[in-house]
Each structure stands twice: as structure tokens, then as C-alpha cells.
Amino acid sequence: MSNNNVCKFEHKNEEEDLACSMELVGIDKRRGRGQVSSGLTHECGVFGAIGCGEWPTNLEIAQIICWGLVALQHRGQESAGIVTSEGKCSKYFNTVKGMGMISNIFNDEAIRRLKGSIGIGHTRYSTSAASEEVNCQPFVVHTAHGVLGVAHNGELVNCDSLRKQVLQHGVGLSTHSDSELITQALCLNPPNGEANGEPDWPARIKHFMQLAPLSYSLVIMMRNKIYAVRDPYGNRPLCLGKILPFNEPLSGDCDDSREAEGWVVSSESCGFLSIGAQYVREVFPGEIIEMTRHGIRTIDIVSRPENKLQAFCIFEYVYFARADSIFEGQMVYAVRMQCGRQLAIEQPVEADIVSAVPESGNAAAHGFSRQSGISFAEVLCKNRYVGRSFIQPSNRLRQLSVAKKFGALSGNVKGKRVILIDDSIVRGNTIGPIIKLLRNAGATEVHVRVASPPLLYPCYMGINIPTREELIANRMQAKALARHVEANSLEYLSIEGLIKAVRSDIKSKSTHRVGHCTACLSGIYPGGIPNKDSDLEW
């Protein structure tokens, strides 16, 4: 890469041996990550919007992106940012970024500063870099060909080998974020060169995707266009929405004859209705989509290595995604209900009522109830105004901290045998105190059913899963865990059952073969186990 292209930043057994080696590989990649008190954390959500027709657009792009990020707030609460362009100047973007929740960062004054007809946004939970303002996205850089903005969801599996390549071209990196690494890698000249000294951004994006097959969904913004990019394995989600005139209905399939006022791209579809957008489809694995004021078009689709299946993260269905999001043609809520049905088939138990650990266990509990014929009843009331507590001064206070988050509905519990559905068990810190809470409220029996398989392995593709030693399923089998948390019984959904539930109603419009990543459950990684000291073989 020429110096002119360098970017400048704007602001034992065999199974045990295998697991141990994977854990060692992940140690350095996890330095600087945010703390995880009990569960799992996703690292971020991305969003982009562009107005159609003549600019300046009548759409309030900054407000649309802000509302879109609010809908993605569950994917990250540490920091957020929005950058916009008025489409005139290639040297400057309007930028607002900061630490904290979206509602605290984007007040009326901030929105007024974000003028433009095009923009991208990001909400973050740290994975590969520390929770600091320097790591807030979108990253904005100046190149010889104008300003460039990038927002990234995911984690590069081969970030170390890619970092070496970028550094060998004389590029300096100011953070440990793989999102910055992506931004700089996009400035590498493609293998076939570029005509007339002008940047061929689709070729550069394709070159990057061939260097780093997973894991990412990207929104890349230039002065007057956005590129929406999904990794060839489809590991991280990304979807398209069409902004329609205010009085037009948004339900039903997308009608190409209806003229768009604008287009949006998002990690999830859950925020589309709130901004007047109709869900169109997912970005296909490996697809590069160009979004301009004239509309959208597919530039290219980068293929996976031969015989490799799609590897969409199955835990998006189980835990991360909002229940009203759509993946592979099906609503997440419906899939979680199906997981509950399958759980009732695999792990039945006699009881008086079925309930859930709110809120992500609710859909599975309803599915379990319908399949088993046992009535559903709420037994826990969640306090929505309790913040996260990372450090408690004593074990007694750690146990009592659950009582701050939940109250027991004693009238529904007293004298009852309760089946309690949870979406997953990670460290096991929460479920024991909840069971004690229900027993204190008068439950005669508490049977725990988990609507996902045991979590056993770390993730290298954008999910902050605790270390293998911290995952309770590696220390205790189901029966031992039941005794530990003082449940009458505890059972998990099988991996086969989860896959069956997830694929029961897939209506994907993509011609790609269906496939899901179960690495955290099975230890089978779609691109192989990362090797920090050499390039990955894909």
C-alpha cells in the first residue's frame, strides 16, 4: 500500500486437551474485555440509513439512526456513535460518539449536529478491545480519496495474522480493536490494482473478505453511499429495510413497485416498524450491497471455501436477539416457543405450573406449556430499574442481589410444583438464588428446564462467553448442578433438539445451504480453531 493510502485516525483426555488449547488461544484475545457478572454479552449492533431521491432528503436521518440504535440497545450498552454526511464534502463527517446509553449520548443538541442525508451508527459492548472512548464506533478515517466510516459487529478470528499484514504496509494502529483493523485493511490495494488512481471500494471490500472470512457484519460509509457487508459464513446477522411514505402499510412482503423514501440496514429488524421501514430481507452470507440515493444493488457475493456450510450463530435465536426480530424468514419469538416445545418432548416432568425466568425465557416457557398441557403462570416479577452489580462485598450479598432483580408472586407459587424455564445457564450464579426465592414463597418443588444445551466452549466470533473454567456445565453435570442449586431436577435441551427447533420453519430466500454455528455448545468451529501464531487455514 502506498503512503498516500495510509489512513489516519480522527479522534486428561483428548477432549480436555482440545478445550485447554482453545482456552489458551483465547486468553490474549480476551484481554481488555468488559467484565461479565453472570451471563453472556454480545458486543454490538450496527445500523445505517440513506435517503432516496434529491438531497438534502426530507428524512431525519440522524433521528432514524438514533431510534434504530435504541432498538439495538440490548446488543451493547457501553458506548455508541453516529456519523452522517451531507453528501457534499469528501473530507468531513458529522460525528457524535460517547460512553454510556444511547438516550444519554444523543440529546436534541447532538441530533441537530448530525446533519445529513446518509449516516451509520453503532452501539457497543467491548470484546477485543477495552471499554474506552477511543474504541467507540463508528471509526472514521481520512484517506487519500476522502473520509471513510466503518461500524462493525463481530470479531475477526484471524485478527493477529491480518494485523501483521496491515502493519507490514507501514500502517500504524492506535487501538487494539479489530474494528480499527478492518478500517485500515480496507485501504489495502486489491490484488488486481485500481484504474486511474481511483479507489475501487467493492474490490477492496472483496479483498478484505478473502483475507478475513469471519466474523463480521459491516456498514461502510463514504461521502454519498453505504456498503452493507456480511461475512461469507453469515455468522453475524444483517438485514435490509425499506422506508415507505408515512401512511403506507408496513405489513406483508416487500413490494418492489412501492417507491422507497429511503433504505436502512441493521443488525436486527426489530426497530424497523418504529422508524417506518418495511422488512425486506437479510443480507446474504458474503454479499456486498451498495446503497445510494438511487436505491440498492448487490455488487458481489464472496463465496465460502468449498464444502463449508453457512454458520449463523445459533445463540442469536436462543439469547441475544430481540424476540420480534426476523432471521431466516422466521420470528425469533416463534423459534423460542419451538425450543420450549422440543424441551417438553425431551425432558418432561410432572408439575402444577410452568413459568420462566423473565424475560428471555418467556417464549420457551409458553412453548413448554402448550406441548405439555401444563398451565403457564408467572412466578417472578422483574424489577426493571436495577443496574448491573459487578462486585459484591460478601457471598451473602451476592446471593441477595438476585432479590433486588426479582420478586416472587407468592399467590401463584404457594403449594405448587413449579417448572422453571430458563434460556441458558452460564456461570450458574443466578438460578440458585431464584430457586431459593421460590421456595421461600411456598413452592413445594422447583424443576429447572433449560431451553438450550450446556455451554461448554469459548466463542471467538463476537460473543463474550466466560472462560471454560467459569462455565458451570464444565464443572457439573445436570444432576450435580440440580443438587448444587437445590432444584428437584434440572435438564437441558439437546443440541440436536435445538437445531431441530431452529430449522423447523426456516423460510430463507437465500439459495445458500442452511447451517448454524454451535461452537460454544459442541466445540466445532466453522473456520477451525484459531491459531495465534500462524495464518488460519480455511
mmCIF file of all heavy atoms in Angstrom, residues 74-119:
data_model
loop_
_atom_site.group_PDB
_atom_site.id
_atom_site.type_symbol
_atom_site.label_atom_id
_atom_site.label_comp_id
_atom_site.label_asym_id
_atom_site.label_seq_id
_atom_site.Cartn_x
_atom_site.Cartn_y
_atom_site.Cartn_z
ATOM 1 N N HIS A 74 -30.063 -3.637 23.302
ATOM 2 C CA HIS A 74 -29.803 -4.897 24.006
ATOM 3 C C HIS A 74 -28.498 -5.553 23.557
ATOM 4 O O HIS A 74 -27.957 -6.412 24.247
ATOM 5 C CB HIS A 74 -30.963 -5.872 23.783
ATOM 6 C CG HIS A 74 -31.212 -6.213 22.344
ATOM 7 N ND1 HIS A 74 -31.842 -5.344 21.484
ATOM 8 C CD2 HIS A 74 -30.913 -7.311 21.614
ATOM 9 C CE1 HIS A 74 -31.937 -5.898 20.285
ATOM 10 N NE2 HIS A 74 -31.366 -7.082 20.335
ATOM 11 N N ARG A 75 -27.966 -5.144 22.406
ATOM 12 C CA ARG A 75 -26.745 -5.746 21.878
ATOM 13 C C ARG A 75 -25.477 -5.089 22.431
ATOM 14 O O ARG A 75 -24.373 -5.581 22.186
ATOM 15 C CB ARG A 75 -26.737 -5.690 20.355
ATOM 16 C CG ARG A 75 -27.901 -6.435 19.715
ATOM 17 C CD ARG A 75 -27.825 -6.407 18.204
ATOM 18 N NE ARG A 75 -26.800 -7.293 17.711
ATOM 19 C CZ ARG A 75 -26.980 -8.584 17.440
ATOM 20 N NH1 ARG A 75 -28.166 -9.145 17.630
ATOM 21 N NH2 ARG A 75 -25.994 -9.318 16.972
ATOM 22 N N GLY A 76 -25.634 -3.981 23.134
ATOM 23 C CA GLY A 76 -24.471 -3.319 23.713
ATOM 24 C C GLY A 76 -24.868 -2.042 24.418
ATOM 25 O O GLY A 76 -25.635 -1.255 23.873
ATOM 26 N N GLN A 77 -24.345 -1.839 25.614
ATOM 27 C CA GLN A 77 -24.723 -0.666 26.408
ATOM 28 C C GLN A 77 -23.524 0.141 26.897
ATOM 29 O O GLN A 77 -23.664 0.990 27.767
ATOM 30 C CB GLN A 77 -25.550 -1.105 27.631
ATOM 31 C CG GLN A 77 -26.832 -1.826 27.304
ATOM 32 C CD GLN A 77 -26.664 -3.321 27.220
ATOM 33 O OE1 GLN A 77 -25.985 -3.918 28.040
ATOM 34 N NE2 GLN A 77 -27.268 -3.946 26.217
ATOM 35 N N GLU A 78 -22.336 -0.101 26.349
ATOM 36 C CA GLU A 78 -21.151 0.597 26.849
ATOM 37 C C GLU A 78 -20.899 1.918 26.146
ATOM 38 O O GLU A 78 -20.495 2.893 26.760
ATOM 39 C CB GLU A 78 -19.916 -0.297 26.710
ATOM 40 C CG GLU A 78 -19.901 -1.439 27.697
ATOM 41 C CD GLU A 78 -18.575 -2.160 27.713
ATOM 42 O OE1 GLU A 78 -17.660 -1.769 26.972
ATOM 43 O OE2 GLU A 78 -18.457 -3.144 28.464
ATOM 44 N N SER A 79 -21.094 1.935 24.838
ATOM 45 C CA SER A 79 -20.832 3.149 24.078
ATOM 46 C C SER A 79 -21.653 3.134 22.804
ATOM 47 O O SER A 79 -22.194 2.091 22.413
ATOM 48 C CB SER A 79 -19.337 3.276 23.743
ATOM 49 O OG SER A 79 -18.928 2.236 22.863
ATOM 50 N N ALA A 80 -21.736 4.282 22.154
ATOM 51 C CA ALA A 80 -22.489 4.380 20.907
ATOM 52 C C ALA A 80 -21.965 5.558 20.104
ATOM 53 O O ALA A 80 -21.314 6.465 20.638
ATOM 54 C CB ALA A 80 -23.988 4.547 21.179
ATOM 55 N N GLY A 81 -22.258 5.552 18.807
ATOM 56 C CA GLY A 81 -21.834 6.645 17.953
ATOM 57 C C GLY A 81 -22.655 6.706 16.681
ATOM 58 O O GLY A 81 -23.214 5.696 16.242
ATOM 59 N N ILE A 82 -22.748 7.893 16.121
ATOM 60 C CA ILE A 82 -23.410 8.113 14.823
ATOM 61 C C ILE A 82 -22.530 9.061 14.017
ATOM 62 O O ILE A 82 -22.017 10.059 14.552
ATOM 63 C CB ILE A 82 -24.815 8.728 14.987
ATOM 64 C CG1 ILE A 82 -25.758 7.769 15.718
ATOM 65 C CG2 ILE A 82 -25.407 9.094 13.622
ATOM 66 C CD1 ILE A 82 -27.138 8.361 16.009
ATOM 67 N N VAL A 83 -22.341 8.756 12.742
ATOM 68 C CA VAL A 83 -21.683 9.681 11.817
ATOM 69 C C VAL A 83 -22.613 9.883 10.625
ATOM 70 O O VAL A 83 -23.269 8.942 10.168
ATOM 71 C CB VAL A 83 -20.299 9.191 11.356
ATOM 72 C CG1 VAL A 83 -19.356 9.063 12.532
ATOM 73 C CG2 VAL A 83 -20.395 7.867 10.620
ATOM 74 N N THR A 84 -22.693 11.113 10.134
ATOM 75 C CA THR A 84 -23.563 11.425 9.000
ATOM 76 C C THR A 84 -22.782 12.237 7.965
ATOM 77 O O THR A 84 -21.754 12.846 8.262
ATOM 78 C CB THR A 84 -24.798 12.238 9.445
ATOM 79 O OG1 THR A 84 -24.364 13.479 10.025
ATOM 80 C CG2 THR A 84 -25.631 11.464 10.441
ATOM 81 N N SER A 85 -23.310 12.245 6.755
ATOM 82 C CA SER A 85 -22.721 13.017 5.665
ATOM 83 C C SER A 85 -23.828 13.771 4.936
ATOM 84 O O SER A 85 -24.922 13.229 4.734
ATOM 85 C CB SER A 85 -21.987 12.095 4.684
ATOM 86 O OG SER A 85 -21.635 12.783 3.491
ATOM 87 N N GLU A 86 -23.520 14.998 4.547
ATOM 88 C CA GLU A 86 -24.465 15.790 3.758
ATOM 89 C C GLU A 86 -24.277 15.549 2.264
ATOM 90 O O GLU A 86 -24.979 16.149 1.442
ATOM 91 C CB GLU A 86 -24.297 17.267 4.101
ATOM 92 C CG GLU A 86 -24.645 17.554 5.558
ATOM 93 C CD GLU A 86 -24.332 18.975 5.980
ATOM 94 O OE1 GLU A 86 -24.924 19.905 5.391
ATOM 95 O OE2 GLU A 86 -23.497 19.157 6.883
ATOM 96 N N GLY A 87 -23.304 14.693 1.914
ATOM 97 C CA GLY A 87 -23.105 14.327 0.527
ATOM 98 C C GLY A 87 -22.330 15.321 -0.301
ATOM 99 O O GLY A 87 -22.174 15.151 -1.504
ATOM 100 N N LYS A 88 -21.817 16.367 0.328
ATOM 101 C CA LYS A 88 -21.131 17.430 -0.412
ATOM 102 C C LYS A 88 -19.615 17.354 -0.240
ATOM 103 O O LYS A 88 -18.875 17.434 -1.210
ATOM 104 C CB LYS A 88 -21.622 18.799 0.076
ATOM 105 C CG LYS A 88 -23.116 19.019 -0.083
ATOM 106 C CD LYS A 88 -23.553 20.322 0.598
ATOM 107 C CE LYS A 88 -25.064 20.503 0.538
ATOM 108 N NZ LYS A 88 -25.495 21.727 1.272
ATOM 109 N N CYS A 89 -19.173 17.210 0.984
ATOM 110 C CA CYS A 89 -17.746 17.271 1.289
ATOM 111 C C CYS A 89 -17.181 15.871 1.489
ATOM 112 O O CYS A 89 -17.743 15.078 2.252
ATOM 113 C CB CYS A 89 -17.515 18.118 2.545
ATOM 114 S SG CYS A 89 -15.793 18.234 3.046
ATOM 115 N N SER A 90 -16.093 15.572 0.796
ATOM 116 C CA SER A 90 -15.476 14.252 0.922
ATOM 117 C C SER A 90 -14.433 14.219 2.038
ATOM 118 O O SER A 90 -13.784 13.201 2.255
ATOM 119 C CB SER A 90 -14.805 13.861 -0.396
ATOM 120 O OG SER A 90 -13.774 14.789 -0.714
ATOM 121 N N LYS A 91 -14.262 15.343 2.746
ATOM 122 C CA LYS A 91 -13.209 15.429 3.750
ATOM 123 C C LYS A 91 -13.720 15.435 5.181
ATOM 124 O O LYS A 91 -12.931 15.439 6.119
ATOM 125 C CB LYS A 91 -12.381 16.700 3.516
ATOM 126 C CG LYS A 91 -11.661 16.716 2.180
ATOM 127 C CD LYS A 91 -10.826 17.980 2.038
ATOM 128 C CE LYS A 91 -10.085 17.995 0.704
ATOM 129 N NZ LYS A 91 -9.270 19.226 0.552
ATOM 130 N N TYR A 92 -15.047 15.449 5.371
ATOM 131 C CA TYR A 92 -15.551 15.658 6.726
ATOM 132 C C TYR A 92 -16.875 14.940 6.921
ATOM 133 O O TYR A 92 -17.732 14.940 6.039
ATOM 134 C CB TYR A 92 -15.738 17.162 6.974
ATOM 135 C CG TYR A 92 -16.301 17.494 8.340
ATOM 136 C CD1 TYR A 92 -15.500 17.433 9.475
ATOM 137 C CD2 TYR A 92 -17.640 17.858 8.492
ATOM 138 C CE1 TYR A 92 -16.014 17.727 10.723
ATOM 139 C CE2 TYR A 92 -18.159 18.154 9.743
ATOM 140 C CZ TYR A 92 -17.345 18.091 10.850
ATOM 141 O OH TYR A 92 -17.852 18.372 12.085
ATOM 142 N N PHE A 93 -17.032 14.291 8.058
ATOM 143 C CA PHE A 93 -18.299 13.717 8.500
ATOM 144 C C PHE A 93 -18.729 14.423 9.786
ATOM 145 O O PHE A 93 -17.883 14.860 10.580
ATOM 146 C CB PHE A 93 -18.171 12.222 8.808
ATOM 147 C CG PHE A 93 -18.114 11.321 7.612
ATOM 148 C CD1 PHE A 93 -17.643 10.023 7.739
ATOM 149 C CD2 PHE A 93 -18.542 11.742 6.359
ATOM 150 C CE1 PHE A 93 -17.603 9.165 6.657
ATOM 151 C CE2 PHE A 93 -18.493 10.903 5.275
ATOM 152 C CZ PHE A 93 -18.025 9.611 5.411
ATOM 153 N N ASN A 94 -20.029 14.541 9.994
ATOM 154 C CA ASN A 94 -20.557 14.970 11.291
ATOM 155 C C ASN A 94 -20.538 13.765 12.230
ATOM 156 O O ASN A 94 -21.057 12.701 11.875
ATOM 157 C CB ASN A 94 -21.984 15.500 11.134
ATOM 158 C CG ASN A 94 -22.057 16.670 10.179
ATOM 159 O OD1 ASN A 94 -21.320 17.634 10.309
ATOM 160 N ND2 ASN A 94 -22.948 16.583 9.191
ATOM 161 N N THR A 95 -19.960 13.940 13.401
ATOM 162 C CA THR A 95 -19.727 12.797 14.282
ATOM 163 C C THR A 95 -20.124 13.117 15.717
ATOM 164 O O THR A 95 -19.757 14.168 16.244
ATOM 165 C CB THR A 95 -18.243 12.382 14.271
ATOM 166 O OG1 THR A 95 -17.842 12.090 12.927
ATOM 167 C CG2 THR A 95 -18.005 11.159 15.141
ATOM 168 N N VAL A 96 -20.868 12.191 16.330
ATOM 169 C CA VAL A 96 -21.137 12.238 17.778
ATOM 170 C C VAL A 96 -20.932 10.829 18.315
ATOM 171 O O VAL A 96 -21.578 9.885 17.856
ATOM 172 C CB VAL A 96 -22.570 12.724 18.087
ATOM 173 C CG1 VAL A 96 -22.835 12.623 19.593
ATOM 174 C CG2 VAL A 96 -22.782 14.145 17.612
ATOM 175 N N LYS A 97 -20.026 10.693 19.289
ATOM 176 C CA LYS A 97 -19.764 9.399 19.919
ATOM 177 C C LYS A 97 -19.575 9.607 21.411
ATOM 178 O O LYS A 97 -19.183 10.688 21.847
ATOM 179 C CB LYS A 97 -18.508 8.745 19.329
ATOM 180 C CG LYS A 97 -18.597 8.414 17.857
ATOM 181 C CD LYS A 97 -17.491 7.479 17.407
ATOM 182 C CE LYS A 97 -16.146 8.165 17.321
ATOM 183 N NZ LYS A 97 -15.113 7.259 16.747
ATOM 184 N N GLY A 98 -19.842 8.576 22.196
ATOM 185 C CA GLY A 98 -19.641 8.706 23.629
ATOM 186 C C GLY A 98 -19.871 7.406 24.365
ATOM 187 O O GLY A 98 -20.347 6.426 23.802
ATOM 188 N N MET A 99 -19.510 7.410 25.644
ATOM 189 C CA MET A 99 -19.712 6.258 26.513
ATOM 190 C C MET A 99 -21.100 6.331 27.130
ATOM 191 O O MET A 99 -21.598 7.414 27.436
ATOM 192 C CB MET A 99 -18.655 6.233 27.616
ATOM 193 C CG MET A 99 -17.219 6.226 27.118
ATOM 194 S SD MET A 99 -16.818 4.771 26.132
ATOM 195 C CE MET A 99 -16.945 3.483 27.392
ATOM 196 N N GLY A 100 -21.705 5.170 27.322
ATOM 197 C CA GLY A 100 -22.995 5.119 28.002
ATOM 198 C C GLY A 100 -24.127 4.714 27.083
ATOM 199 O O GLY A 100 -23.927 4.254 25.957
ATOM 200 N N MET A 101 -25.345 4.907 27.584
ATOM 201 C CA MET A 101 -26.550 4.515 26.867
ATOM 202 C C MET A 101 -26.894 5.543 25.787
ATOM 203 O O MET A 101 -26.536 6.724 25.887
ATOM 204 C CB MET A 101 -27.713 4.381 27.841
ATOM 205 C CG MET A 101 -27.457 3.404 28.968
ATOM 206 S SD MET A 101 -27.432 1.683 28.425
ATOM 207 C CE MET A 101 -29.195 1.356 28.414
ATOM 208 N N ILE A 102 -27.608 5.086 24.779
ATOM 209 C CA ILE A 102 -27.933 5.927 23.634
ATOM 210 C C ILE A 102 -28.726 7.156 24.060
ATOM 211 O O ILE A 102 -28.471 8.272 23.588
ATOM 212 C CB ILE A 102 -28.711 5.098 22.592
ATOM 213 C CG1 ILE A 102 -27.777 4.062 21.965
ATOM 214 C CG2 ILE A 102 -29.314 5.980 21.503
ATOM 215 C CD1 ILE A 102 -28.458 2.885 21.367
ATOM 216 N N SER A 103 -29.668 6.997 24.955
ATOM 217 C CA SER A 103 -30.502 8.120 25.393
ATOM 218 C C SER A 103 -29.690 9.199 26.098
ATOM 219 O O SER A 103 -30.088 10.364 26.120
ATOM 220 C CB SER A 103 -31.619 7.617 26.315
ATOM 221 O OG SER A 103 -31.063 6.965 27.454
ATOM 222 N N ASN A 104 -28.550 8.827 26.680
ATOM 223 C CA ASN A 104 -27.703 9.798 27.356
ATOM 224 C C ASN A 104 -26.746 10.513 26.401
ATOM 225 O O ASN A 104 -26.273 11.609 26.703
ATOM 226 C CB ASN A 104 -26.881 9.118 28.460
ATOM 227 C CG ASN A 104 -27.750 8.565 29.567
ATOM 228 O OD1 ASN A 104 -28.809 9.106 29.858
ATOM 229 N ND2 ASN A 104 -27.321 7.470 30.170
ATOM 230 N N ILE A 105 -26.455 9.893 25.282
ATOM 231 C CA ILE A 105 -25.483 10.458 24.340
ATOM 232 C C ILE A 105 -26.163 11.372 23.321
ATOM 233 O O ILE A 105 -25.678 12.463 23.031
ATOM 234 C CB ILE A 105 -24.725 9.325 23.607
ATOM 235 C CG1 ILE A 105 -23.975 8.449 24.605
ATOM 236 C CG2 ILE A 105 -23.765 9.896 22.563
ATOM 237 C CD1 ILE A 105 -23.435 7.157 24.008
ATOM 238 N N PHE A 106 -27.317 10.925 22.797
ATOM 239 C CA PHE A 106 -27.934 11.633 21.677
ATOM 240 C C PHE A 106 -29.131 12.458 22.151
ATOM 241 O O PHE A 106 -30.285 12.055 22.013
ATOM 242 C CB PHE A 106 -28.335 10.634 20.582
ATOM 243 C CG PHE A 106 -27.158 9.875 20.039
ATOM 244 C CD1 PHE A 106 -26.960 8.550 20.394
ATOM 245 C CD2 PHE A 106 -26.236 10.490 19.220
ATOM 246 C CE1 PHE A 106 -25.866 7.850 19.910
ATOM 247 C CE2 PHE A 106 -25.141 9.802 18.738
ATOM 248 C CZ PHE A 106 -24.957 8.480 19.090
ATOM 249 N N ASN A 107 -28.821 13.614 22.709
ATOM 250 C CA ASN A 107 -29.868 14.555 23.079
ATOM 251 C C ASN A 107 -30.223 15.418 21.866
ATOM 252 O O ASN A 107 -29.695 15.225 20.762
ATOM 253 C CB ASN A 107 -29.423 15.416 24.265
ATOM 254 C CG ASN A 107 -28.086 16.101 24.010
ATOM 255 O OD1 ASN A 107 -27.695 16.345 22.870
ATOM 256 N ND2 ASN A 107 -27.377 16.421 25.080
ATOM 257 N N ASP A 108 -31.106 16.386 22.050
ATOM 258 C CA ASP A 108 -31.560 17.221 20.927
ATOM 259 C C ASP A 108 -30.404 17.968 20.271
ATOM 260 O O ASP A 108 -30.342 18.096 19.043
ATOM 261 C CB ASP A 108 -32.622 18.213 21.403
ATOM 262 C CG ASP A 108 -33.927 17.543 21.788
ATOM 263 O OD1 ASP A 108 -34.101 16.374 21.397
ATOM 264 O OD2 ASP A 108 -34.751 18.169 22.474
ATOM 265 N N GLU A 109 -29.479 18.438 21.093
ATOM 266 C CA GLU A 109 -28.338 19.179 20.540
ATOM 267 C C GLU A 109 -27.469 18.277 19.668
ATOM 268 O O GLU A 109 -27.015 18.681 18.589
ATOM 269 C CB GLU A 109 -27.501 19.760 21.681
ATOM 270 C CG GLU A 109 -26.293 20.557 21.195
ATOM 271 C CD GLU A 109 -25.435 21.046 22.342
ATOM 272 O OE1 GLU A 109 -25.865 20.935 23.507
ATOM 273 O OE2 GLU A 109 -24.324 21.544 22.064
ATOM 274 N N ALA A 110 -27.230 17.041 20.133
ATOM 275 C CA ALA A 110 -26.419 16.101 19.358
ATOM 276 C C ALA A 110 -27.080 15.772 18.034
ATOM 277 O O ALA A 110 -26.414 15.713 16.989
ATOM 278 C CB ALA A 110 -26.187 14.833 20.172
ATOM 279 N N ILE A 111 -28.397 15.568 18.040
ATOM 280 C CA ILE A 111 -29.111 15.249 16.812
ATOM 281 C C ILE A 111 -29.035 16.413 15.827
ATOM 282 O O ILE A 111 -28.879 16.217 14.606
ATOM 283 C CB ILE A 111 -30.583 14.888 17.114
ATOM 284 C CG1 ILE A 111 -30.672 13.590 17.935
ATOM 285 C CG2 ILE A 111 -31.385 14.757 15.822
ATOM 286 C CD1 ILE A 111 -30.139 12.362 17.228
ATOM 287 N N ARG A 112 -29.122 17.642 16.320
ATOM 288 C CA ARG A 112 -29.021 18.804 15.433
ATOM 289 C C ARG A 112 -27.647 18.889 14.764
ATOM 290 O O ARG A 112 -27.529 19.373 13.634
ATOM 291 C CB ARG A 112 -29.309 20.084 16.227
ATOM 292 C CG ARG A 112 -30.791 20.341 16.466
ATOM 293 C CD ARG A 112 -31.031 21.771 16.946
ATOM 294 N NE ARG A 112 -30.428 22.008 18.252
ATOM 295 C CZ ARG A 112 -31.064 21.825 19.404
ATOM 296 N NH1 ARG A 112 -32.324 21.384 19.414
ATOM 297 N NH2 ARG A 112 -30.448 22.079 20.559
ATOM 298 N N ARG A 113 -26.610 18.436 15.457
ATOM 299 C CA ARG A 113 -25.261 18.463 14.886
ATOM 300 C C ARG A 113 -25.080 17.428 13.785
ATOM 301 O O ARG A 113 -24.189 17.559 12.943
ATOM 302 C CB ARG A 113 -24.225 18.216 15.980
ATOM 303 C CG ARG A 113 -24.051 19.393 16.934
ATOM 304 C CD ARG A 113 -23.314 18.975 18.196
ATOM 305 N NE ARG A 113 -22.064 18.263 17.918
ATOM 306 C CZ ARG A 113 -21.380 17.587 18.841
ATOM 307 N NH1 ARG A 113 -21.864 17.508 20.083
ATOM 308 N NH2 ARG A 113 -20.245 16.990 18.530
ATOM 309 N N LEU A 114 -25.916 16.399 13.802
ATOM 310 C CA LEU A 114 -25.751 15.286 12.865
ATOM 311 C C LEU A 114 -26.571 15.530 11.594
ATOM 312 O O LEU A 114 -27.456 14.748 11.240
ATOM 313 C CB LEU A 114 -26.156 13.972 13.544
ATOM 314 C CG LEU A 114 -25.206 13.512 14.660
ATOM 315 C CD1 LEU A 114 -25.848 12.401 15.481
ATOM 316 C CD2 LEU A 114 -23.875 13.033 14.066
ATOM 317 N N LYS A 115 -26.259 16.577 10.890
ATOM 318 C CA LYS A 115 -26.956 16.887 9.651
ATOM 319 C C LYS A 115 -26.505 15.926 8.557
ATOM 320 O O LYS A 115 -25.367 15.482 8.539
ATOM 321 C CB LYS A 115 -26.664 18.327 9.227
ATOM 322 C CG LYS A 115 -27.148 19.384 10.208
ATOM 323 C CD LYS A 115 -26.750 20.770 9.745
ATOM 324 C CE LYS A 115 -27.210 21.826 10.744
ATOM 325 N NZ LYS A 115 -26.787 23.190 10.343
ATOM 326 N N GLY A 116 -27.423 15.630 7.647
ATOM 327 C CA GLY A 116 -27.021 14.794 6.529
ATOM 328 C C GLY A 116 -28.153 13.969 5.963
ATOM 329 O O GLY A 116 -29.220 13.824 6.575
ATOM 330 N N SER A 117 -27.909 13.426 4.785
ATOM 331 C CA SER A 117 -28.877 12.574 4.088
ATOM 332 C C SER A 117 -28.464 11.113 4.125
ATOM 333 O O SER A 117 -29.139 10.255 3.547
ATOM 334 C CB SER A 117 -29.006 13.030 2.633
ATOM 335 O OG SER A 117 -29.495 14.353 2.562
ATOM 336 N N ILE A 118 -27.371 10.823 4.818
ATOM 337 C CA ILE A 118 -26.835 9.471 4.891
ATOM 338 C C ILE A 118 -26.062 9.345 6.193
ATOM 339 O O ILE A 118 -25.451 10.322 6.658
ATOM 340 C CB ILE A 118 -25.914 9.192 3.672
ATOM 341 C CG1 ILE A 118 -25.287 7.797 3.737
ATOM 342 C CG2 ILE A 118 -24.822 10.249 3.558
ATOM 343 C CD1 ILE A 118 -24.449 7.468 2.505
ATOM 344 N N GLY A 119 -26.107 8.180 6.817
ATOM 345 C CA GLY A 119 -25.371 8.016 8.062
ATOM 346 C C GLY A 119 -25.328 6.573 8.524
ATOM 347 O O GLY A 119 -26.092 5.724 8.047
#
